[in-house]
Amino acid sequence: MFLRDPDAAPAPLVGLAESYQPGQTDWHAHRRIQLMYAVEGSLTVLTEAGSWVLPPSRALLLPGGLRHALKLRRRAELRTLYLAEEAGWIVTPAAPQVIAVPALLRELILAAVEAPWDHAPEGRSARLARVLCDELVMLEQEPVHLPELRDTRARKLAAIFYAKPAERRSLMELAAEAGASLRTLERHWKAETGLAIREWVQQLRLMFALEAIAAGARIGDAAFEVGFENPSSFIALFRQHFGTTPARYFGDRA
C-alpha cells in the first residue's frame, strides 16, 4: 500500500500536506528526492552536515537517501514533494539546496500535492509535474545553511547558542563552560565550518530571526529576540548575507 509511503507510489512525483507542532521529528530518510515548502510558519531541517532554515518564501531540495529531521519552534504547515530519481526530470542535488519560490512554482507545488499518487503517465498531473521540475532547474541556491560541528566541546558551545541565541556572555566565558580554551574552539570552528565562531553565531541568529519573522514577528522584535542590539545592525547584516532587506525578502509578510 503506497498511501503513506511516497517511495512506493507509482507516480514519479507525489506530494503530502502535513501540519507540524513545535518540537523535533525523528531522524529518517526517503529514497526519493524531496522538495519541502512551508506554506505557513517556518522550520529548520537538520542533517548530519548542518542545518537549513525554511521560511515560507523558500523551499528546500534534499537528495534522496539523506538522513534528516525537522525542528520547529512554532507551528508550521508543510508541503513536501517526492520525486523518483530514476525519472530523470531534474539533476540530483549533491547536497541540500535552498531555493526561492516565485508565484508560479508555489502554485505548481500546491497542485502537485493535490494530484493522485497513481495519475496517468501522460495526464495533466504528469505534465504539471514536468513543468514544476523545469522551474526548479532555473532557480538559484540561496545561502541559509548553518554547518554542523564534530568536536564535542565545540558542539557544547554551539548548543548554548542554539538554546539561547541572544546569549550575552563573552565567548571566553562560554568556551570555559564548554571545556576548552577559546583559541582551541576557534581552531576547530574554522576547520570544521569554514567560519569563525562570531560569524557562525551571526548566521545562527539570522536563521532564528527568519523563523520569528515568518511566524509573524515584527522585524525589530525578531532582531532583539535573537540578540542584535538594534534593528539597524540586523538589517545591515541581513542585506549583506541575503542581498536584500528583510521586508523585501518576506514581501508583505514583514
Side-chain angles (χ1 to χ4, degrees):
M1 193 71 173
F2 59 80
L3 291 180
R4 295 298 296 177
D5 182 6
D7 287 336
L13 187 146
V14 298
L16 284 174
E18 297 176 292
S19 300
Y20 288 90
Q21 299 300 324
Q24 181 172 324
T25 68
D26 294 334
W27 286 81
H28 62 284
H30 289 279
R31 179 176 57 81
R32 294 190 173 198
I33 300 168
Q34 289 179 251
L35 181 72
M36 298 181 180
Y37 175 55
V39 295
E40 181 182 330
S42 176
L43 59 110
T44 299
V45 181
L46 310 176
T47 74
E48 295 174 351
S51 306
W52 280 260
V53 68
L54 189 58
S57 54
R58 302 298 184 266
L60 182 66
L61 196 64
L62 286 181
L66 181 70
R67 292 185 72 249
H68 61 279
L70 308 182
K71 188 171 185 178
L72 299 92
R73 291 155 59 86
R74 301 170 177 85
R75 180 183 174 278
E77 288 286 335
L78 188 65
R79 303 295 180 265
T80 307
L81 304 183
Y82 302 84
L83 174 63
E85 184 175 349
E86 56 269 22
W89 290 357
I90 64 171
V91 176
T92 304
Q97 294 184 10
V98 175
I99 55 178
V101 180
L104 175 58
L105 182 56
R106 172 187 164 84
E107 295 307 315
L108 289 168
I109 291 172
L110 299 181
V113 168
E114 296 297 325
W117 285 20
D118 55 354
H119 59 74
E122 301 302 326
R124 178 178 180 274
S125 294
R127 292 195 297 271
L128 287 175
R130 294 297 297 269
V131 174
L132 188 155
C133 291
D134 288 342
E135 288 298 307
L136 290 178
V137 173
M138 296 167 58
L139 299 174
E140 296 181 356
Q141 182 175 352
E142 295 202 345
V144 285
H145 169 224
L146 193 66
E148 192 54 80
L149 293 140
R150 298 185 300 274
D151 180 79
T152 302
R153 296 163 298 179
R155 291 173 68 93
K156 286 182 179 179
L157 177 55
I160 294 173
F161 286 106
Y162 269 117
K164 185 181 178 183
E167 177 62 66
R168 296 292 186 184
R169 287 178 291 170
S170 70
L171 286 179
M172 187 169 294
E173 182 179 353
L174 296 174
E177 183 176 322
S181 69
L182 180 57
R183 184 174 181 179
T184 296
L185 290 180
E186 285 280 15
R187 186 172 65 251
H188 280 292
W189 228 279
K190 194 69 174 179
E192 295 180 17
T193 71
L195 301 170
I197 294 177
R198 292 185 187 278
E199 293 173 329
W200 186 94
V201 171
Q202 282 185 335
Q203 193 147 317
L204 177 142
R205 286 173 171 167
L206 281 175
M207 289 177 62
F208 277 37
L210 279 173
E211 292 185 348
I213 297 171
R218 299 178 60 169
I219 291 172
D221 294 338
F224 287 123
E225 179 182 329
V226 301
F228 288 92
E229 293 184 358
N230 56 69
S232 298
S233 61
F234 166 67
I235 292 172
L237 183 63
F238 194 102
R239 184 194 294 272
Q240 176 185 335
H241 192 81
F242 294 105
T244 188
T245 64
R248 289 180 179 174
Y249 187 93
F250 283 93
D252 292 340
R253 295 177 187 275

